[in-house]
Amino acid sequence: MDDVTVARALHVLSIVLWIGGVALFDAIERRFAWQARIWTVLAGLTGLYMLARLDLWDRFRYAAYWWMHAMIAVWLLFTVVLFVAEPLFLHRWLLARATAKPQATFRLLEWLHWVWLILGLVTVAGAVASTHGLLLFE
């Protein structure tokens, strides 16, 4: 069995579950948090594995592979929020803000989730289109 095929399948599966969870976050927030951490770690590990195994580092020099930059940016932002910001201060700040301004806090969280969802979907669409020959910015 081809190790890169397995890594790619796990990578795509983790992205689907992660991005899908962001879309449903409002309805299942508490149950999704631990899953988000697992899928985020798995996405990072499999992505790094494929970068190293296929020696794709040079792609970061070309605008045509913008989606690879976007993958890392979205992953890094989400990872920092999940593993650093939320445990250190974000959870407490949101609880305090929600107590004082529940509607405004909900709107802020909803807006942030929509932004993350759109960024994730654009990145996934760009990656799929690119790997099938549609390279923008050549």
Side-chain angles (χ1 to χ4, degrees):
M1 183 177 293
D2 186 2
D3 59 324
V4 175
T5 301
V6 172
R8 184 173 290 130
L10 287 172
H11 188 72
V12 171
L13 177 64
S14 63
I15 298 300
V16 167
L17 292 168
W18 164 27
I19 299 298
V22 171
L24 297 174
F25 186 78
D26 291 331
I28 58 169
E29 178 179 2
R30 286 285 173 218
R31 290 176 290 186
F32 176 64
W34 69 270
Q35 291 179 41
R37 288 181 179 91
I38 290 170
W39 302 130
T40 302
V41 168
L42 186 59
L45 290 174
T46 54
L48 183 61
Y49 178 80
M50 288 185 292
L51 273 171
R53 175 72 170 76
L54 298 172
D55 194 24
L56 299 174
W57 302 103
D58 66 318
R59 286 187 175 187
F60 290 106
R61 297 184 308 151
Y62 303 104
Y65 297 102
W66 63 270
W67 51 272
M68 289 182 70
H69 299 87
M71 280 183 181
I72 290 175
V74 169
W75 177 84
L76 188 58
L77 177 64
F78 202 81
T79 300
V80 168
V81 168
L82 271 179
F83 290 99
V84 179
E86 194 208 10
L88 290 179
F89 68 89
L90 193 58
H91 185 73
R92 286 187 305 276
W93 179 77
L94 285 171
L95 280 176
R97 191 176 194 283
T99 302
K101 301 175 184 177
Q103 293 294 338
T105 303
F106 178 77
R107 281 193 305 275
L108 172 66
L109 286 174
E110 188 174 40
W111 180 82
L112 287 172
H113 282 97
W114 275 105
V115 168
W116 263 339
L117 178 61
I118 290 166
L119 288 174
L121 292 174
V122 166
T123 301
V124 168
V128 170
S130 253
T131 57
H132 291 279
L134 180 61
L135 291 175
L136 303 176
F137 314 115
E138 280 191 270

